[in-house]
Amino acid sequence: MTSLTATPAAVRVSPWALSSFWAGSAFHWLLLLLILMPADVLRFVGEAQKGTYLGLLVGVGAVLALVMPPLIGTLSDRLGLRLAFLRWGVAINVAGLAVMGLSSLLLSGAGLGGFWVYLLGYLLVQLGNNIATSPYSALIPDLVPQELRGRYSGVLGQLQAIGQLLGAVLAFGLGQLGLPPVISYVLIVLVLVGSAAITLRQVPEPPLRAQPGQHWAWFGGALGRALAVVAGLGAAYLLLARLIPGFSLVMAFSLPLLVVAAVVVALLMERRGVVSLTPSPQLASRLMTVFLYQPFLWVFITRMLFSLGQYSVQPFLQFYNADVLGQKHPGTATSIMLACIIVGSIVSAIIGGRLSDRVGRKPIIYVAGGGMAAAAILLLFAPSFIFALIIALAFGLGYGAFVSVDWALGSDAMPSPVTYARDMGLWHVAFVAPQLSSAPQGFLLDWGNARGAAMDLPHLGYFIVFGIAAACFVLGVLLVRNIRGVR
């Protein structure tokens, strides 16, 4: 077993090859979450329930994204493998995309029956993508020295933005041509497989040692226990929703309170000396001890806040363009808006990453997060689509700088190379767990809009949801200063 203080000996790979798969994954998620899924859900369930069922779809998929990363990451550490998981995960991801595309093509008039088949495909997509990305996320701390991680993180952010821009441009073109959605699913498969092939061909397997033990038996037992807990919580939620009128609405309004409670608990842990700058001696054997390492605790919390802000808005942009901005072709309008966000992020991504190697990660995040919060609020007051595009461009400048630093900051906060994949997988939970908020946020959106119409307050639901997003961005910026031991 390697030392807890070991670091990469030398840069072993091109940053462009290392980040290639992330570009394909960004293309994949932009088209899927922001263009295809909102339109497909609308065809399955109709106008009145579109927010609720889109939120349900994203939220249920997020359950797998919550459970799998730390388990897959731990298995990767124990087996001493990274790239094999990328191969297996992409194959499962492609199978899920095939189910989603075919159900969209063949079952769009089948109502809820078609929706449940579509949901099954999305669960396969989430499963495969998390199998691929959890060990893949460990490659930067595995292969790149700390003093160059800002540069590598900047390249990753830039390629991610390019993948998103390609997705937005293709979505616009396909919308103008009036081609069926299944064409987009085929393009996602081609880009995802091609980007993964570049990474697999040009990135070496890190020199890791397999640890002794019955790793697959451990994984099966751990996965079974995790799914049992999730199933129990899900059953309890459904039972309470049936027994208590308005329970879903209570959960939606409770979300900000739960976020505040998590921050308060972390502050109390730090004040009482429960967390420290020294990794726990039980780090390798007990998963939750990683939260006793002060930098990781606060990097996890701040990343979750930024993701919560993102997922409070992102799934509903197409509905925003239709309902608030009055766009006749909301899918096309969303593609244009995304293109503006992405152009801004491309400009700032590479600059932000390189600059963070010189001035530190925190100053970049302060500026970027503040800009994102301001943009989320200003979108609600945009007097026209053109003005909204200018705000989207400004948001992109902040988002690109944030992403360019985010991976470097996360890599710097890892407590030990012995558990890189496990801890990066756990950190990855901070990206995806906020997707669970899409279900209550979707319900809140529909409730707020209905209540606003009755009170002559149009688009009240959007004001509530976008306001929550801005508050999360602001709180994330404020708490970055708590990360000690990282510039």
mmCIF file of all heavy atoms in Angstrom, residues 27 31 36 101 104-105 170 174 177-190:
data_model
loop_
_atom_site.group_PDB
_atom_site.id
_atom_site.type_symbol
_atom_site.label_atom_id
_atom_site.label_comp_id
_atom_site.label_asym_id
_atom_site.label_seq_id
_atom_site.Cartn_x
_atom_site.Cartn_y
_atom_site.Cartn_z
ATOM 1 N N PHE A 27 -21.221 16.769 -23.753
ATOM 2 C CA PHE A 27 -22.108 16.768 -24.918
ATOM 3 C C PHE A 27 -23.333 15.905 -24.626
ATOM 4 O O PHE A 27 -24.482 16.290 -24.897
ATOM 5 C CB PHE A 27 -21.333 16.230 -26.120
ATOM 6 C CG PHE A 27 -22.150 16.061 -27.369
ATOM 7 C CD1 PHE A 27 -22.280 17.101 -28.272
ATOM 8 C CD2 PHE A 27 -22.766 14.843 -27.663
ATOM 9 C CE1 PHE A 27 -23.023 16.938 -29.435
ATOM 10 C CE2 PHE A 27 -23.511 14.679 -28.817
ATOM 11 C CZ PHE A 27 -23.639 15.726 -29.703
ATOM 12 N N LEU A 31 -27.337 17.598 -24.215
ATOM 13 C CA LEU A 31 -28.435 17.238 -25.106
ATOM 14 C C LEU A 31 -29.529 16.467 -24.363
ATOM 15 O O LEU A 31 -30.716 16.687 -24.573
ATOM 16 C CB LEU A 31 -27.907 16.380 -26.262
ATOM 17 C CG LEU A 31 -27.440 17.121 -27.515
ATOM 18 C CD1 LEU A 31 -26.920 16.136 -28.552
ATOM 19 C CD2 LEU A 31 -28.559 17.958 -28.112
ATOM 20 N N LEU A 36 -33.471 16.976 -24.917
ATOM 21 C CA LEU A 36 -34.269 15.792 -25.228
ATOM 22 C C LEU A 36 -35.261 15.426 -24.131
ATOM 23 O O LEU A 36 -36.432 15.163 -24.406
ATOM 24 C CB LEU A 36 -33.330 14.610 -25.508
ATOM 25 C CG LEU A 36 -32.484 14.734 -26.780
ATOM 26 C CD1 LEU A 36 -31.470 13.606 -26.862
ATOM 27 C CD2 LEU A 36 -33.378 14.726 -28.016
ATOM 28 N N GLY A 101 -33.942 6.309 -26.680
ATOM 29 C CA GLY A 101 -34.219 6.749 -28.046
ATOM 30 C C GLY A 101 -35.348 5.982 -28.693
ATOM 31 O O GLY A 101 -36.234 6.563 -29.341
ATOM 32 N N SER A 104 -38.702 6.911 -27.100
ATOM 33 C CA SER A 104 -39.122 8.223 -27.594
ATOM 34 C C SER A 104 -39.705 8.121 -28.996
ATOM 35 O O SER A 104 -40.674 8.807 -29.334
ATOM 36 C CB SER A 104 -37.925 9.181 -27.579
ATOM 37 O OG SER A 104 -38.250 10.404 -28.195
ATOM 38 N N LEU A 105 -39.123 7.239 -29.815
ATOM 39 C CA LEU A 105 -39.570 7.079 -31.195
ATOM 40 C C LEU A 105 -40.865 6.277 -31.291
ATOM 41 O O LEU A 105 -41.784 6.649 -32.033
ATOM 42 C CB LEU A 105 -38.474 6.386 -32.005
ATOM 43 C CG LEU A 105 -38.783 6.071 -33.474
ATOM 44 C CD1 LEU A 105 -38.942 7.361 -34.271
ATOM 45 C CD2 LEU A 105 -37.689 5.205 -34.075
ATOM 46 N N LEU A 170 -25.664 21.518 -32.418
ATOM 47 C CA LEU A 170 -26.347 20.416 -33.097
ATOM 48 C C LEU A 170 -27.839 20.400 -32.766
ATOM 49 O O LEU A 170 -28.667 20.122 -33.634
ATOM 50 C CB LEU A 170 -25.707 19.087 -32.707
ATOM 51 C CG LEU A 170 -24.385 18.762 -33.401
ATOM 52 C CD1 LEU A 170 -23.791 17.479 -32.854
ATOM 53 C CD2 LEU A 170 -24.587 18.641 -34.910
ATOM 54 N N LEU A 174 -30.573 20.534 -35.652
ATOM 55 C CA LEU A 174 -31.561 19.464 -35.797
ATOM 56 C C LEU A 174 -32.980 19.999 -35.614
ATOM 57 O O LEU A 174 -33.920 19.551 -36.278
ATOM 58 C CB LEU A 174 -31.279 18.353 -34.782
ATOM 59 C CG LEU A 174 -29.975 17.569 -34.997
ATOM 60 C CD1 LEU A 174 -29.729 16.615 -33.836
ATOM 61 C CD2 LEU A 174 -30.008 16.811 -36.315
ATOM 62 N N LEU A 177 -34.032 21.705 -38.793
ATOM 63 C CA LEU A 177 -34.310 20.742 -39.863
ATOM 64 C C LEU A 177 -35.552 19.903 -39.579
ATOM 65 O O LEU A 177 -36.055 19.217 -40.470
ATOM 66 C CB LEU A 177 -33.105 19.812 -40.057
ATOM 67 C CG LEU A 177 -31.822 20.471 -40.586
ATOM 68 C CD1 LEU A 177 -30.674 19.471 -40.568
ATOM 69 C CD2 LEU A 177 -32.049 21.002 -42.002
ATOM 70 N N GLY A 178 -36.026 19.932 -38.326
ATOM 71 C CA GLY A 178 -37.206 19.165 -37.976
ATOM 72 C C GLY A 178 -36.989 17.670 -37.942
ATOM 73 O O GLY A 178 -37.929 16.892 -38.154
ATOM 74 N N LEU A 179 -35.757 17.253 -37.636
ATOM 75 C CA LEU A 179 -35.453 15.821 -37.608
ATOM 76 C C LEU A 179 -35.963 15.194 -36.315
ATOM 77 O O LEU A 179 -36.064 15.866 -35.285
ATOM 78 C CB LEU A 179 -33.945 15.610 -37.725
ATOM 79 C CG LEU A 179 -33.312 16.068 -39.053
ATOM 80 C CD1 LEU A 179 -31.808 15.898 -39.014
ATOM 81 C CD2 LEU A 179 -33.907 15.293 -40.220
ATOM 82 N N PRO A 180 -36.291 13.901 -36.331
ATOM 83 C CA PRO A 180 -36.809 13.241 -35.121
ATOM 84 C C PRO A 180 -35.757 13.170 -34.033
ATOM 85 O O PRO A 180 -34.546 13.119 -34.306
ATOM 86 C CB PRO A 180 -37.195 11.842 -35.622
ATOM 87 C CG PRO A 180 -36.384 11.633 -36.854
ATOM 88 C CD PRO A 180 -36.233 12.984 -37.484
ATOM 89 N N PRO A 181 -36.181 13.132 -32.751
ATOM 90 C CA PRO A 181 -35.230 13.103 -31.632
ATOM 91 C C PRO A 181 -34.282 11.921 -31.658
ATOM 92 O O PRO A 181 -33.182 12.003 -31.108
ATOM 93 C CB PRO A 181 -36.152 13.053 -30.402
ATOM 94 C CG PRO A 181 -37.450 13.614 -30.856
ATOM 95 C CD PRO A 181 -37.575 13.234 -32.287
ATOM 96 N N VAL A 182 -34.688 10.809 -32.285
ATOM 97 C CA VAL A 182 -33.825 9.626 -32.281
ATOM 98 C C VAL A 182 -32.483 9.916 -32.950
ATOM 99 O O VAL A 182 -31.465 9.305 -32.609
ATOM 100 C CB VAL A 182 -34.546 8.443 -32.965
ATOM 101 C CG1 VAL A 182 -34.671 8.661 -34.477
ATOM 102 C CG2 VAL A 182 -33.842 7.129 -32.659
ATOM 103 N N ILE A 183 -32.451 10.873 -33.873
ATOM 104 C CA ILE A 183 -31.177 11.253 -34.510
ATOM 105 C C ILE A 183 -30.224 11.821 -33.465
ATOM 106 O O ILE A 183 -29.021 11.548 -33.486
ATOM 107 C CB ILE A 183 -31.419 12.290 -35.627
ATOM 108 C CG1 ILE A 183 -32.368 11.728 -36.689
ATOM 109 C CG2 ILE A 183 -30.098 12.710 -36.260
ATOM 110 C CD1 ILE A 183 -31.854 10.501 -37.404
ATOM 111 N N SER A 184 -30.754 12.593 -32.541
ATOM 112 C CA SER A 184 -29.911 13.153 -31.479
ATOM 113 C C SER A 184 -29.341 12.052 -30.593
ATOM 114 O O SER A 184 -28.189 12.117 -30.161
ATOM 115 C CB SER A 184 -30.720 14.141 -30.629
ATOM 116 O OG SER A 184 -31.130 15.251 -31.398
ATOM 117 N N TYR A 185 -30.137 11.030 -30.316
ATOM 118 C CA TYR A 185 -29.636 9.921 -29.506
ATOM 119 C C TYR A 185 -28.487 9.192 -30.210
ATOM 120 O O TYR A 185 -27.495 8.802 -29.579
ATOM 121 C CB TYR A 185 -30.770 8.945 -29.185
ATOM 122 C CG TYR A 185 -31.712 9.450 -28.118
ATOM 123 C CD1 TYR A 185 -32.935 10.031 -28.454
ATOM 124 C CD2 TYR A 185 -31.383 9.366 -26.780
ATOM 125 C CE1 TYR A 185 -33.795 10.507 -27.486
ATOM 126 C CE2 TYR A 185 -32.242 9.842 -25.789
ATOM 127 C CZ TYR A 185 -33.443 10.412 -26.153
ATOM 128 O OH TYR A 185 -34.285 10.894 -25.182
ATOM 129 N N VAL A 186 -28.605 9.027 -31.507
ATOM 130 C CA VAL A 186 -27.524 8.386 -32.272
ATOM 131 C C VAL A 186 -26.257 9.231 -32.215
ATOM 132 O O VAL A 186 -25.142 8.711 -32.018
ATOM 133 C CB VAL A 186 -27.960 8.165 -33.739
ATOM 134 C CG1 VAL A 186 -26.780 7.678 -34.583
ATOM 135 C CG2 VAL A 186 -29.107 7.158 -33.807
ATOM 136 N N LEU A 187 -26.395 10.548 -32.360
ATOM 137 C CA LEU A 187 -25.231 11.430 -32.303
ATOM 138 C C LEU A 187 -24.577 11.397 -30.920
ATOM 139 O O LEU A 187 -23.346 11.427 -30.811
ATOM 140 C CB LEU A 187 -25.649 12.857 -32.648
ATOM 141 C CG LEU A 187 -26.004 13.113 -34.112
ATOM 142 C CD1 LEU A 187 -26.562 14.517 -34.292
ATOM 143 C CD2 LEU A 187 -24.779 12.918 -35.008
ATOM 144 N N ILE A 188 -25.381 11.326 -29.856
ATOM 145 C CA ILE A 188 -24.822 11.237 -28.509
ATOM 146 C C ILE A 188 -23.961 9.987 -28.383
ATOM 147 O O ILE A 188 -22.847 10.023 -27.841
ATOM 148 C CB ILE A 188 -25.940 11.216 -27.452
ATOM 149 C CG1 ILE A 188 -26.634 12.577 -27.377
ATOM 150 C CG2 ILE A 188 -25.373 10.865 -26.078
ATOM 151 C CD1 ILE A 188 -27.837 12.598 -26.457
ATOM 152 N N VAL A 189 -24.456 8.857 -28.894
ATOM 153 C CA VAL A 189 -23.695 7.604 -28.819
ATOM 154 C C VAL A 189 -22.369 7.741 -29.560
ATOM 155 O O VAL A 189 -21.310 7.354 -29.046
ATOM 156 C CB VAL A 189 -24.524 6.451 -29.404
ATOM 157 C CG1 VAL A 189 -23.653 5.203 -29.591
ATOM 158 C CG2 VAL A 189 -25.704 6.131 -28.504
ATOM 159 N N LEU A 190 -22.396 8.315 -30.749
ATOM 160 C CA LEU A 190 -21.173 8.441 -31.542
ATOM 161 C C LEU A 190 -20.135 9.325 -30.849
ATOM 162 O O LEU A 190 -18.947 8.987 -30.791
ATOM 163 C CB LEU A 190 -21.507 9.006 -32.929
ATOM 164 C CG LEU A 190 -22.343 8.099 -33.841
ATOM 165 C CD1 LEU A 190 -22.704 8.839 -35.131
ATOM 166 C CD2 LEU A 190 -21.600 6.810 -34.150
#
